[in-house]
Amino acid sequence: MAQAMKIAIVDDEQDMRQSISQWLALSGFDTETYPSAEDALKSLGPDYAGAVVSDIKMPGMDGMQFLKRLMSVDSSLPVIMITGHGDVPMAVEAMRVGAYDFLEKPFNPDRMTELAKKATQFRRLTLDNRALRKELSDGSTLMKKLIGASPVMDRLREDILDLGQADGHVLIDGETGTGKTLVAHALHAVGANPRRKFVLVSCAGIEEDALTKRLFGPFEEGGEQLPAFEEARGGTLVLEDIEALPEGLQARLLAWVNEQGTPAETRIIAISNLQEQGKSCEDVLRPDLYFRLAAMKITLPPLRQRGEDILMLFTQFGEEFADEYGCAPPQVTAQEAAQLLQAPWPGNIRQLINVAERAVLQNRRGSGTIASLLMAENDETQPVMTTEGKPLKEYVEAFERMLIDNTMRRHKGSIVNVMDELCLPRRTLNEKMAKYGLQRADYL
C-alpha cells in the first residue's frame, strides 16, 4: 500500500492552519503545519514527498516570495496558494510564477481536498519518474548492463526512460551486437506495467505457417502455449527481425494494431537488424505498418562511436572472466588501449565480450597480445583502424582514466597504494580523479 503523501500547511494564523490540517488529515493526508515561510523552508527540499498549501499574505516572507523560493528549490513541487477575496490578479501572478492552483477565501473544504489529491498524485508521479531516472543513471538492476559514460549512452538511457513511460509502439534498430533485445527489456522494465507479460518472438528462420500459428494461433486443443498476441495481452510483445515478417502477416499485424486503438492495450516493440546492410525497415515493411510501429524509434549507437566506454566495458568483462577462470585480468598497455579505441568493432559489444574472454585466457597461459586478437577478429588484411580519426589527446585521456580506474580497483580504493604504484602526488591524483569522474567511495 502506498504511503500517505504529505501536505505542508503554511499560514501565520493558527486557527486557519489547524482547520486546514484537521480537514486534510480526515481525508487521509499526513499534514505538517508551519507558522511562517521561513520555518517551512527549513523542511521543504527537492525530494519532499507531498504538496504545499500556503497563504499569500503573511508577515515577513509573504506567499509570493515563498513561492519563488520553492520554485528555485524544485520547480515541480505543487504549491496551492490561498488568496483573500478580490486578490485574483495576485493569484494569476502566482500561477505564472509556478503555483499548482489557488483557492479564494472563504473556500469549500471539499474543493481543498480535491486539489490536494490532484497535487499529491502529480507529486507522486514526478518523484516516481525521478527515481526511474536515478535508477537509469546509477545503472542499477537491469539498467546496470547499459553501462557507459559517453554522451550517446546518456541519451540512450534518457530515451529508454521517456519512451518506456509513453504508450506508443517502438521500433529499435542498430547494428548487430549493440544490445537491441536488452533495450527492449529495459523499455518494458521502466514502463507503466513492468509486472505484466513480456513475450519475445523472432520472425526470422521460421516458416510462415508456423509463425502465423505462433503469433495468431489457433493452437491445438490442450496446448500449453497461447498465441503470442494473446499471451502478451496487456503487456509487451517484442518482434525480433521484424523485417523478416511475410507480407501476408504484415497485413494481419496491421489490422491487429488498428483494432487496439489508442492507447494500445498491448505494446509492440519491433527490432530490426537491417542497419548494417545499409537498409531500413521502411524499405521492406508496408508503409502503413512501418509508420505505426515506428511511432517512436530508438537507434542504438555502434561501439566505435562510444569512445572510452570501450575501455570501461573491456575492463569490466575482463574482470568478470578473470573471476570465472580464476586468474588475473589482463593489464592493458597504452598502445593496446589505443588499439582497442581504434578498432572498428563490426560485432560491437558481442565482439568485445569475445575479445575480453580470449584476452583473459591468453593472460592465464602467459602468451599472446590484445593486438593479435583484434587482428584476428577484424580480418588480418585490414588495418585495425576506424574511419573516425580521434585526436591523440582523447586516446591519452582514455588510457589515463582506465589506468587510474584499474589501479583503484586493484587496491580497493587505497589512495596511498595508488599514489605509490602510479608515482603520482596526492594532489595530482585527486585532480585527475575529479577530471574523470572517479570517486574513491566506489572502490571501497
Side-chain angles (χ1 to χ4, degrees), residues 37-74:
E38 291 87 348
D39 287 335
L41 283 171
K42 297 174 184 176
S43 302
L44 300 175
D47 297 320
Y48 184 71
V52 179
V53 174
S54 174
D55 194 10
I56 281 190
K57 292 189 175 179
M58 295 185 291
M61 183 184 294
D62 65 19
M64 288 299 295
Q65 293 172 314
F66 179 46
L67 174 63
K68 290 175 183 178
R69 285 285 298 276
L70 288 177
M71 292 300 98
S72 69
V73 171
D74 184 351

Side-chain angles (χ1 to χ4, degrees), residues 241-293:
D241 302 294
I242 187 67
E243 66 275 3
L245 195 67
E247 282 191 27
L249 288 183
Q250 289 185 34
R252 288 193 64 174
L253 175 58
L254 176 64
W256 184 86
V257 168
N258 289 335
E259 286 170 8
Q260 284 202 104
T262 304
E265 179 186 15
T266 303
R267 182 180 220 184
I268 294 177
I269 299 177
I271 296 177
S272 168
N273 289 294
L274 284 174
Q275 194 181 75
E276 59 262 34
Q277 300 174 26
K279 297 180 181 179
S280 161
C281 266
E282 195 170 358
D283 300 324
V284 296
L285 294 180
R286 49 186 296 164
D288 42 8
L289 176 62
Y290 171 79
F291 288 112
R292 293 303 299 270
L293 297 181

Side-chain angles (χ1 to χ4, degrees), residues 200-338:
L200 189 148
V201 177
S202 175
C203 300
I206 181 171
E207 293 183 359
E208 184 170 351
D209 288 346
L211 182 58
T212 301
K213 186 178 288 188
R214 175 68 185 102
L215 292 175
F216 298 99
F219 276 82
E220 292 79 7
E221 188 175 347
E224 295 182 359
Q225 191 175 39
L226 291 170
F229 284 102
E230 187 62 36
E231 185 183 357
R233 183 179 295 276
T236 300
L237 175 61
V238 179
L239 299 177
E240 284 190 321
D241 302 294
I242 187 67
E243 66 275 3
L245 195 67
E247 282 191 27
L249 288 183
Q250 289 185 34
R252 288 193 64 174
L253 175 58
L254 176 64
W256 184 86
V257 168
N258 289 335
E259 286 170 8
Q260 284 202 104
T262 304
E265 179 186 15
T266 303
R267 182 180 220 184
I268 294 177
I269 299 177
I271 296 177
S272 168
N273 289 294
L274 284 174
Q275 194 181 75
E276 59 262 34
Q277 300 174 26
K279 297 180 181 179
S280 161
C281 266
E282 195 170 358
D283 300 324
V284 296
L285 294 180
R286 49 186 296 164
D288 42 8
L289 176 62
Y290 171 79
F291 288 112
R292 293 303 299 270
L293 297 181
M296 302 178 191
K297 187 177 179 182
I298 293 180
T299 299
L300 270 62
L303 186 58
R304 62 183 174 275
Q305 292 179 1
R306 292 178 54 181
E308 68 179 73
D309 283 358
I310 295 169
L311 300 182
M312 187 186 302
L313 288 163
F314 184 84
T315 298
Q316 175 172 310
F317 294 136
E319 289 178 350
E320 291 174 359
F321 284 122
D323 286 341
E324 181 180 338
Y325 291 114
C327 62
Q331 298 301 306
V332 181
T333 67
Q335 182 179 1
E336 288 172 332

Side-chain angles (χ1 to χ4, degrees), residues 9-285:
I9 301 158
V10 187
D11 199 307
D12 62 303
E13 295 183 15
Q14 184 177 358
D15 290 345
M16 180 61 76
R17 289 198 308 271
Q18 291 180 343
S19 174
I20 295 174
S21 176
Q22 289 171 1
W23 181 260
L24 291 178
L26 289 172
S27 301
F29 294 100
D30 181 6
T31 61
E32 302 171 333
T33 60
Y34 301 94
S36 70
E38 291 87 348
D39 287 335
L41 283 171
K42 297 174 184 176
S43 302
L44 300 175
D47 297 320
Y48 184 71
V52 179
V53 174
S54 174
D55 194 10
I56 281 190
K57 292 189 175 179
M58 295 185 291
M61 183 184 294
D62 65 19
M64 288 299 295
Q65 293 172 314
F66 179 46
L67 174 63
K68 290 175 183 178
R69 285 285 298 276
L70 288 177
M71 292 300 98
S72 69
V73 171
D74 184 351
S75 61
S76 298
L77 181 64
V79 182
I80 300 168
M81 306 299 293
I82 298 175
T83 70
H85 180 67
D87 285 338
V88 173
M90 189 177 292
V92 171
E93 174 63 13
M95 296 290 285
R96 188 192 68 78
V97 171
Y100 182 79
D101 213 326
F102 68 93
L103 283 169
E104 189 177 3
K105 296 178 183 177
F107 53 80
N108 183 332
D110 290 329
R111 173 63 177 157
M112 166 71 77
T113 301
E114 179 188 351
L115 270 182
K117 285 181 178 177
K118 289 181 178 179
T120 52
Q121 287 171 357
F122 171 81
R123 185 61 172 168
R124 190 184 299 279
L125 180 61
T126 298
L127 294 177
D128 285 348
N129 281 342
R130 282 184 189 167
L132 287 171
R133 287 183 186 277
K134 187 173 187 300
E135 178 180 323
L136 281 169
S137 63
D138 287 351
S140 57
T141 62
L142 175 65
M143 305 312 160
K144 191 173 183 180
K145 297 180 180 179
L146 291 168
I147 65 170
S150 59
V152 289
M153 286 304 291
D154 287 340
R155 285 195 297 272
L156 175 61
R157 286 188 287 264
E158 285 295 320
D159 286 344
I160 289 171
L161 179 63
D162 292 338
L163 271 59
Q165 292 288 296
D167 296 320
H169 306 302
V170 181
L171 174 66
I172 303 173
D173 67 4
E175 296 180 7
T176 184
T178 49
K180 295 184 287 294
T181 302
L182 174 61
V183 169
H185 278 280
L187 284 168
H188 178 78
V190 301
N193 299 301
R195 291 180 178 82
R196 295 192 179 179
K197 291 298 291 287
F198 178 93
V199 179
L200 189 148
V201 177
S202 175
C203 300
I206 181 171
E207 293 183 359
E208 184 170 351
D209 288 346
L211 182 58
T212 301
K213 186 178 288 188
R214 175 68 185 102
L215 292 175
F216 298 99
F219 276 82
E220 292 79 7
E221 188 175 347
E224 295 182 359
Q225 191 175 39
L226 291 170
F229 284 102
E230 187 62 36
E231 185 183 357
R233 183 179 295 276
T236 300
L237 175 61
V238 179
L239 299 177
E240 284 190 321
D241 302 294
I242 187 67
E243 66 275 3
L245 195 67
E247 282 191 27
L249 288 183
Q250 289 185 34
R252 288 193 64 174
L253 175 58
L254 176 64
W256 184 86
V257 168
N258 289 335
E259 286 170 8
Q260 284 202 104
T262 304
E265 179 186 15
T266 303
R267 182 180 220 184
I268 294 177
I269 299 177
I271 296 177
S272 168
N273 289 294
L274 284 174
Q275 194 181 75
E276 59 262 34
Q277 300 174 26
K279 297 180 181 179
S280 161
C281 266
E282 195 170 358
D283 300 324
V284 296
L285 294 180

Side-chain angles (χ1 to χ4, degrees), residues 419-438:
M419 288 166 51
D420 288 344
E421 181 172 332
L422 299 180
C423 300
L424 289 174
R426 180 182 290 272
R427 180 177 177 180
T428 302
L429 178 59
N430 289 342
E431 288 174 351
K432 289 185 180 296
M433 288 182 66
K435 175 182 178 180
Y436 300 128
L438 302 175

